[in-house]
Amino acid sequence: EKGREISVCVVEKAAEVGAHILSGNVFQPTALAELFPDWKEQGALGDESQLTPVKDDRFLFLTNETSSISAPSILIPPTLHN
């Protein structure tokens, strides 16, 4: 914006970019929208048909391969609420 050149580094822990997309990540786009108001139009998240809006929150303790115990929301820190 001011004629300066900037460098950006993206660190991806997978073998290829986006390989961990199905991690259950909840993305809060506030900061992204402040930096890039048209991020959706630019296709920043890739194929929008693969996006799923959050409808509810559940925190589960996996007890074995087929069972889990749901934690009461009062025990979950506010930073983990969506």
Side-chain angles (χ1 to χ4, degrees):
E1 188 174 302
K2 295 183 178 183
R4 294 184 299 195
E5 195 171 309
I6 63 168
S7 295
V8 176
C9 175
V10 176
V11 178
E12 174 62 56
K13 62 182 181 176
E16 56 189 41
V17 175
H20 288 152
I21 290 208
L22 297 177
S23 66
N25 178 46
V26 175
F27 179 69
Q28 176 56 270
T30 306
L32 185 61
E34 289 177 11
L35 291 170
F36 305 101
D38 61 342
W39 65 270
K40 282 186 180 180
E41 291 79 18
Q42 290 185 28
L45 298 180
D47 183 1
E48 288 195 34
S49 70
Q50 300 297 313
L51 303 179
T52 305
V54 174
K55 295 182 180 164
D56 66 343
D57 280 330
R58 286 182 286 159
F59 194 94
L60 303 173
F61 293 100
L62 305 178
T63 55
N64 61 43
E65 291 181 11
T66 59
S67 300
S68 63
I69 298 171
S70 182
S73 63
I74 195 164
L75 298 178
I76 307 303
T79 54
L80 295 178
H81 290 248
N82 295 304

